[in-house]
Amino acid sequence: MILVTGGAGFIGANFVLDWLATHDEPVLNLDKLTYAGNRENLASLQGDARHIFVQGDIGDAELIASLLQQHQPRAIVNFAAESHVDRSIHGPAEFIQTNIVGTFALLESVRAWWNGLVGDAKAAFRFLHVSTDEVYGSLAAADPAFTETHRYEPNSPYSASKAASDHLVRAYHHTYGLSVLTTNCSNNYGPYHFPEKLIPLMIVNALAGKPLPVYGDGQQVRDWLYVKDHCSAIRRVLEAGRPGETYNVGGWNEKPNLEIVHTVCALLDELRPAAHGKSYREQIAYVRDRPGHDRRYAIDASKIERELAWRPAETFETGIRKTVQWYLANPDWVAHVQSGAYREWVQTQYSGNDTP
Ligand code: NAD
Ligand code: DAU
């Protein structure tokens, strides 16, 4: 049995689905079901006895202690987090609570339980913390990509909270000997991506005939990885990573945001041409920039390639096509996630924001 936290969110749900498609080992899935958690992501697992879902908070020490006692997982994969940079700018408190205080509480519960284990169970246990490239800060155009030894320079409340959680995880290895692994991954995209993030927002807005809001000049660079490749990297690190080590995960796919938006528009023009007969590109609207917007992220993934022989299966071209096709094939999922709470967020973030 493995315990996955945040397994009803974008990456966590993909991870649980892929795990159960390739392993018989059961998954205990603990998720608070915030606005980003969605049980519909896991609908295909209904009736599958290998998936046990528990609604709860990683910061709830009593709940975590009883789950660990009852299920004795051999590993924990910690996805649970507040994950959206723009939300962290509007309201950082939840990010501090879940990403820092919550991770700390989880580590404390795990340490107390793990201390009581003996023999092989104690030696084999692994705690894998899923983190981000944003902890390294922003790169200039000519800088080399982030390696695992790059200095931490987080710039947003989100990335600062993730950096703090990474440091706590590291400290629990050095101080208490807990077998931790940390992965720092670049931007993911793919099925079940909540449409507050760039790629799914562009797809759903384009199809709805709404503006495609590009922040600033649209020349900020992100390094894109298909979500299922991130999941395969996590499985590989869990299987063969060295405790105490961190692994950068990325697909060597740096692209400026505007190019991403153009690619999404071109795929939609091909697969679902707009009724107005023009390209979806016509809907692009340049809007005010994100405060403190990091200019460029790029991941040097040589360590995980060299030490663990991990490689992504998708190129950006194959992954983005699959992603657009998934959104076109799942209009009900899209309609359901665009609830009242989603509309409130869109109003908060984009209203009165139509000029650079
Ligand atoms: P997401 O926002 O889609 O999902 C987060 C999940 O965590 C949701 O299901 C939510 O309900 C749950 N959650 C939130 N607070 C919780 C709490 N206190 N207790 C239990 N569950 C809680 O996020 P995502 O994009 O799937 O990201 C997952 C992890 O991967 C995060 O830690 C994020 O920092 C990291 N990450 C994301 C990306 C990316 O591009 N999305 C890239 C690198 C790393
Ligand atoms: O790098 C990994 C990180 O990637 C993860 O740790 C985060 O959890 C994840 O949300 C993501 O962060 P970003 O801020 O890079 O992702 P987002 O999709 O919000 O934005 C991608 C780029 O697109 C960024 O430069 C901002 C820009 N953008 C975003 C939105 C939502 C726009 O231009 N317009 C938009 O409406």
Side-chain angles (χ1 to χ4, degrees):
M1 155 90 61
I2 62 165
L3 166 58
V4 168
T5 72
F10 163 49
I11 307 174
N14 275 287
F15 180 84
V16 171
L17 293 170
D18 290 0
W19 181 275
L20 291 173
T22 50
H23 297 65
D24 281 330
E25 189 177 18
V27 174
L28 174 63
N29 185 349
L30 173 76
D31 196 296
K32 187 176 172 183
L33 295 181
T34 66
Y35 78 92
N38 183 357
R39 294 215 53 185
E40 222 175 309
N41 298 352
L42 303 159
S44 62
L45 297 177
Q46 227 161 16
D48 189 332
R50 298 170 307 157
H51 180 237
I52 303 168
F53 185 83
V54 176
Q55 183 173 4
D57 194 318
I58 54 167
D60 182 342
E62 212 175 306
L63 172 66
I64 303 294
S66 88
L67 291 174
L68 293 173
Q69 208 52 51
Q70 188 188 345
H71 295 282
Q72 303 285 324
R74 72 165 176 93
I76 297 176
V77 184
N78 183 33
F79 292 97
E82 289 294 334
S83 70
H84 191 32
V85 174
D86 293 321
R87 287 187 192 253
S88 84
I89 294 167
H90 284 279
E94 276 302 313
F95 289 72
I96 305 307
Q97 192 54 43
T98 282
N99 300 1
I100 306 179
V101 181
T103 305
F104 165 67
L106 179 63
L107 285 165
E108 272 296 86
S109 306
V110 171
R111 179 169 76 91
W113 164 77
W114 177 77
N115 269 334
L117 297 180
V118 287
D120 285 353
K122 185 165 191 171
F125 178 76
R126 297 284 183 273
F127 182 100
L128 191 154
H129 180 61
V130 181
S131 193
T132 169
D133 60 0
E134 300 203 8
V135 297
Y136 299 125
S138 187
L139 292 168
D143 287 344
F146 300 127
T147 63
E148 289 78 0
T149 56
H150 196 281
R151 177 164 89 170
Y152 270 39
E153 284 180 325
N155 290 320
S156 71
Y158 163 69
S159 54
S161 69
K162 290 296 289 185
S165 67
D166 291 9
H167 292 324
L168 284 168
V169 169
R170 175 188 162 89
Y172 273 63
H173 176 71
H174 279 263
T175 306
Y176 304 115
L178 193 67
S179 288
V180 305
L181 300 150
T182 299
T183 53
N184 293 89
C185 189
S186 60
N187 285 62
N188 285 211
Y189 66 99
Y192 305 111
H193 205 182
F194 194 73
E196 63 186 355
K197 310 280 168 57
L198 179 72
I199 288 179
L201 181 77
M202 294 301 142
I203 299 172
V204 305
N205 276 17
L207 293 172
K210 292 183 180 161
L212 308 179
V214 172
Y215 296 164
D217 62 2
Q219 292 308 314
Q220 304 84 3
V221 172
R222 295 292 181 268
D223 191 349
W224 295 93
L225 183 69
Y226 191 60
V227 63
K228 288 177 182 300
D229 283 325
H230 186 191
C231 295
S232 76
I234 292 170
R235 291 197 300 275
R236 185 69 190 131
V237 172
L238 191 58
E239 178 180 61
R242 284 182 289 136
E245 289 292 314
T246 66
Y247 296 90
N248 280 357
V249 183
W252 309 94
N253 270 314
E254 281 186 65
K255 307 229 179 265
N257 292 339
L258 196 57
E259 188 181 324
I260 296 290
V261 178
H262 285 166
T263 303
V264 167
C265 289
L267 281 165
L268 287 172
D269 288 341
E270 174 197 329
L271 299 169
R272 182 72 55 85
H276 52 56
K278 291 181 264 178
S279 169
Y280 288 102
R281 272 193 192 208
E282 303 277 326
Q283 290 168 227
I284 291 174
Y286 290 91
V287 300
R288 196 173 54 226
D289 210 350
R290 172 185 280 174
H293 200 169
D294 285 338
R295 194 68 181 166
R296 174 177 166 238
Y297 304 141
I299 277 282
D300 181 333
S302 339
K303 180 177 172 182
I304 189 170
E305 290 176 1
R306 190 177 59 248
E307 293 189 9
L308 304 181
W310 172 84
R311 294 267 182 308
E314 302 292 341
T315 63
F316 185 72
E317 289 64 34
T318 59
I320 193 70
R321 180 172 284 274
K322 283 185 181 177
T323 303
V324 171
Q325 284 168 334
W326 186 88
Y327 280 84
L328 290 174
N330 289 278
D332 290 348
W333 183 91
V334 171
H336 295 165
V337 298
Q338 291 178 303
S339 65
Y342 176 77
R343 286 198 291 277
E344 273 166 41
W345 164 251
V346 170
Q347 177 73 12
T348 306
Q349 174 64 6
Y350 298 100
S351 64
N353 190 5
D354 51 357
T355 46

